[in-house]
Amino acid sequence: MGTLESWKRTMWILWGGVLLCSASYTMAVPFLPLFLFDLGVSEQSVNLWAGIVHSSAFLVGALMAPLWGSMADRYGKRKMVIRAGLSLAVIYALLAFVRNPWELIAVRMLHGLVGGFVPASMSIVASVTPENKVGWSLGMMQAGTMTGAIMGPLLGGGLSVLFGLRMSFVISAALILIATLAVIKWVREGETKKQKRTKIWDDLKYALSSPSLTRLLLLLLIFQLSINMMQPLLTLHIAALQGDLRGAVLSSGFVFSLIGIAGIIASPLWGKAGETRGYNKMLAFCLIISGIVVSMQFFVEQLWLFTVVQFCFGLFMAGIAPAVNTLVVRETDEAFRGRSFGLTTSANQLGAMIGPLIGGGMGLFLSIHWIFVTTGAVLLCTGITVLLRSRSKQAAHSLS
């Protein structure tokens, strides 16, 4: 049996890396709203605190992502993966020692400061993969993050029951450290052409000069904003559906893992669908159906039915990010690839910062059911916009 092609070997090693990175994240971050109760936060204000804690990392991350993207193009993407991995191992370990909500927010801001493991890994894969395999490879990388999203909540939920949440934070630090050591030992990026140093503002102006790239960045921002409106409140909602805080971490871990299973099933299929039917059409379809499915949760009052709907949501949500990432690759030169992934990360982070603040604020006055409806409406409208634009472009091409 021959050795794997070089690009496939690199992809599979980084696939394992993003899997462990995703697992370490989902072992810790989704359970922070429940961790707030251990830190003395009252039930009346926990929704707002959960939104702030969730947003704080993304505030810093949105500012730092273009810098890390620029450094990836200049000094090498592999170095950025290693930098992010070693830093994240320290940050997750620090979570085990926080004593109050303010310290938790400070650690989460550090989390945003040092991130970038997954986008830098994606950028390496996009750079080494043959053009006709980019959609498939990025779909597989997305499946890797989803696999980690299955493992993480189950590990975190199980460990929290046996040893408490703080121990799950320590294990998450160990996982990201293992992923980083694997990259150090086995990933070779090849010779990096040192790019001319550019200012972040110049990179942003370059992106804004491309209407297609600007639209993709805006789409990512809206997508992340909408799903993160409900994200920090899901564990609290699961606890409410269950009727008891005890065991809510394990129940939440099971639900989040099912979303991950849905993603790993669907991601490669969406990648192939994009290659055959067109990424814009597939993207519009996933956005529209995701919006409809999320809105259905307005009527759900049983935990088992909520779990089924979340699984269905995961199936369609899994097609959105890989489609946008593939379209971004097609819209940018290879020399700008690291910076473009930095800008997409910024768009993701900005949406993920604004969304929880909106959701947490709405949670003070409205039930989470109305937040589901709002999320669904945003996704549905975005999907319809993408579909109409895709059809108008097709019509223009047929006339020319």
Side-chain angles (χ1 to χ4, degrees):
M1 184 174 162
T3 57
L4 279 172
E5 294 172 65
S6 177
W7 70 268
K8 282 188 178 178
R9 180 176 177 274
T10 299
M11 188 202 77
W12 285 116
I13 293 166
L14 289 170
W15 184 91
V18 298
L19 182 152
L20 291 176
C21 182
S22 177
S24 66
Y25 181 91
T26 53
M27 278 182 68
V29 175
F31 304 121
L32 293 180
L34 293 174
F35 187 50
L36 286 167
F37 289 121
D38 292 348
L39 300 179
V41 174
S42 68
E43 196 169 337
Q44 289 74 26
S45 60
V46 71
N47 282 346
L48 185 59
W49 274 107
I52 294 170
V53 166
H54 203 74
S55 293
S56 53
F58 301 119
L59 169 64
V60 181
L63 299 173
M64 293 301 298
L67 173 63
W68 298 136
S70 178
M71 289 182 69
D73 281 334
R74 192 155 187 252
Y75 299 109
K77 303 169 187 71
R78 177 178 174 272
K79 289 179 181 177
M80 291 302 104
V81 174
I82 294 167
R83 171 204 56 77
L86 294 176
S87 303
L88 287 170
V90 175
I91 299 301
Y92 288 138
L94 283 177
L95 284 172
F97 299 98
V98 300
R99 296 163 297 177
N100 58 61
W102 294 107
E103 288 183 359
L104 182 59
I105 289 171
V107 175
R108 283 285 288 154
M109 292 181 81
L110 286 174
H111 189 183
L113 180 72
V114 302
F117 188 101
V118 172
S121 298
M122 293 276 198
S123 186
I124 292 175
V125 170
S127 297
V128 301
T129 303
E131 188 70 29
N132 64 332
K133 295 289 184 181
V134 169
W136 176 81
S137 64
L138 290 180
M140 288 304 298
M141 291 294 284
Q142 180 74 6
T145 65
M146 292 293 183
T147 305
I150 298 167
M151 294 168 48
L154 288 176
L155 279 172
L159 286 169
S160 70
V161 170
L162 294 173
F163 306 108
L165 274 168
R166 293 179 189 271
M167 178 55 72
S168 69
F169 300 152
V170 173
I171 301 298
S172 70
L175 286 180
I176 189 65
L177 181 61
I178 291 169
T180 309
L181 293 175
V183 173
I184 292 171
K185 183 168 178 59
W186 288 304
V187 170
R188 293 292 175 266
E189 188 182 351
E191 192 173 343
T192 302
K193 292 180 183 177
K194 206 165 186 178
Q195 305 294 330
K196 183 183 174 183
R197 186 170 186 176
T198 59
K199 294 179 180 177
I200 293 171
W201 178 243
D202 292 334
D203 296 339
L204 187 59
K205 282 197 292 187
Y206 177 90
L208 292 174
S209 69
S210 166
S212 298
L213 185 55
T214 302
R215 278 192 295 271
L216 290 169
L217 293 174
L218 183 60
L219 196 154
L220 277 176
L221 188 151
I222 293 170
F223 170 62
Q224 288 294 338
L225 182 152
S226 58
I227 63 171
N228 278 283
M229 283 173 60
M230 60 180 184
Q231 203 65 34
L233 307 180
L234 285 180
T235 49
L236 302 171
H237 183 58
I238 289 167
L241 290 175
Q242 189 171 273
D244 191 354
L245 273 175
R246 286 177 301 177
V249 175
L250 195 56
S251 299
S252 301
F254 178 71
V255 173
F256 292 138
S257 292
L258 280 180
I259 299 171
I261 290 171
I264 193 172
I265 292 169
S267 288
L269 300 176
W270 292 129
K272 287 181 181 177
E275 288 172 358
T276 55
R277 296 180 179 272
Y279 286 99
N280 280 303
K281 282 184 182 177
M282 188 266 287
L283 179 60
F285 178 77
C286 288
L287 283 164
I288 289 169
I289 303 300
S290 293
I292 293 169
V293 172
V294 168
S295 300
M296 287 169 58
Q297 291 179 147
F298 179 84
F299 305 101
V300 174
E301 295 291 349
Q302 295 84 29
L303 183 56
W304 71 269
L305 188 55
F306 175 81
T307 304
V308 171
V309 176
Q310 282 289 301
F311 179 82
C312 294
F313 177 58
L315 286 174
F316 295 100
M317 185 180 67
I320 297 171
V324 177
N325 286 333
T326 303
L327 290 169
V328 167
V329 168
R330 292 183 172 185
E331 292 293 333
T332 54
D333 296 327
E334 186 174 341
F336 193 75
R337 191 93 18 107
R339 282 166 284 173
S340 70
F341 272 88
L343 290 170
T344 59
T345 303
S346 276
N348 282 322
Q349 302 269 25
L350 275 173
M353 176 194 74
I354 299 166
L357 294 177
I358 295 172
M362 289 176 68
L364 288 176
F365 308 102
L366 301 169
S367 74
I368 192 172
H369 295 84
W370 286 107
I371 299 173
F372 290 142
V373 172
T374 306
T375 297
V378 173
L379 290 172
L380 183 62
C381 291
T382 305
I384 291 171
T385 303
V386 172
L387 182 62
L388 292 175
R389 175 157 191 84
S390 176
R391 286 183 174 176
S392 68
K393 280 180 74 175
Q394 278 186 332
H397 279 305
S398 64
L399 290 172
S400 59

